[in-house]
């Protein structure tokens, strides 16, 4: 279980390793407005973090999108690792690999919950098969060619952030539903 999840996450990181390269540059589209030309992502002066946070929350939209949570994440990354393309594309890859593992877990939990709720086999008997299916689906999601553009485009970082939180919300919902089921499935 955990070893396969780690292997799936590592596979995603290896497949998209180029996005961590120091030679990575911002694209000529939205990245200028979202990163280099964004005054909210410039270095924070000493003692200015609270003011910058307030500025981010109060800011108008950038390229038509108001995203204070993503801007705060981008600011934190820029402060820690520098305002470089690889900071944001690499973070996108890490968030994507974590999302793939979480997607597999949500898939397994959903499969087990549905089996238990419908009076089917107990969760232990469906665990191995559902784990393999979920990991295969997560690996496919992780390395599918359609993932290249959002991962290579630094301005797509909020998509990975949103995906992670959507999957966490799904996991929380499944935990809540599982807690409400009777200890044994109805006959």
């Amino acid at each position: 279980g955990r070893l396969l999840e780690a292997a799936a996450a590592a596979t995603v990181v290896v497949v998209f390793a180029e996005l961590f390269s120091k030679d990575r540059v911002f694209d000529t589209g939205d990245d200028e407005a979202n990163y280099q030309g964004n005054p909210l992502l410039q270095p924070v002066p000493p003692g200015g973090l609270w003011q910058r946070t307030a500025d981010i929350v109060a800011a108008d939209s950038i390229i038509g999108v108001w995203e204070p949570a993503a801007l705060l994440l981008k600011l934190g990354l820029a402060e820690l690792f520098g305002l470089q393309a690889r900071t944001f594309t690499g973070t996108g890859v890490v968030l994507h690999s974590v999302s793939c593992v979480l997607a597999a877990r949500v898939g397994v939990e959903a499969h087990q919950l549905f089996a238990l709720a419908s009076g089917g086999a107990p969760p232990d008997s469906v665990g191995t098969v559902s784990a393999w299916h979920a990991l295969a689906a997560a690996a496919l999601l992780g390395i599918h060619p359609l993932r290249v553009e959002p991962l290579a485009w630094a301005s797509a970082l909020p998509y990975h952030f949103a995906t992670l939180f959507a999957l966490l919300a799904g996991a929380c919902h499944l935990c809540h539903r599982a807690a409400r089921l009777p200890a044994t499935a109805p006959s």
Side-chain angles (χ1 to χ4, degrees):
R2 303 271 188 248
L3 182 61
L4 289 174
E5 290 173 351
T11 299
V12 170
V13 170
V14 167
V15 166
F16 295 107
E18 177 186 332
L19 299 178
F20 292 94
S21 169
K22 66 180 176 169
D23 299 327
R24 188 90 193 127
V25 295
F26 288 111
D27 75 18
T28 57
D30 296 347
D31 287 353
E32 171 61 33
N34 280 324
Y35 294 98
Q36 298 115 317
N38 187 342
L40 298 171
L41 294 182
Q42 299 310 312
V44 177
L49 183 60
W50 289 114
Q51 182 58 50
R52 181 66 57 87
T53 301
D55 292 345
I56 286 173
V57 172
D60 288 332
S61 65
I62 298 169
I63 65 166
V65 180
W66 184 69
E67 50 184 22
L71 270 174
L72 289 170
L73 174 68
K74 290 176 189 178
L75 177 62
L77 291 168
E79 287 292 312
L80 288 172
F81 304 110
L83 192 59
Q84 304 166 25
R86 73 179 179 166
T87 298
F88 305 100
T89 57
T91 300
V93 171
V94 171
L95 290 173
H96 181 59
S97 66
V98 170
S99 292
C100 289
V101 171
L102 189 55
R105 286 197 177 184
V106 166
V108 169
E109 293 295 323
H111 182 79
Q112 292 176 345
L113 182 63
F114 292 146
L116 188 61
S118 66
D124 291 342
S125 65
V126 295
T128 303
V129 172
S130 64
W132 279 104
H133 290 152
L135 279 169
L140 181 60
L141 168 72
I143 62 173
H144 196 278
L146 287 176
R147 302 308 316 147
V148 172
E149 181 184 7
L151 288 169
W153 181 37
S155 290
L157 182 62
Y159 301 156
H160 310 298
F161 195 44
T163 300
L164 181 65
F165 279 100
L167 287 165
L168 285 170
C172 289
H173 175 72
L174 290 172
C175 285
H176 172 74
R177 293 290 298 164
R180 294 179 54 126
L181 283 176
T184 58
S187 308

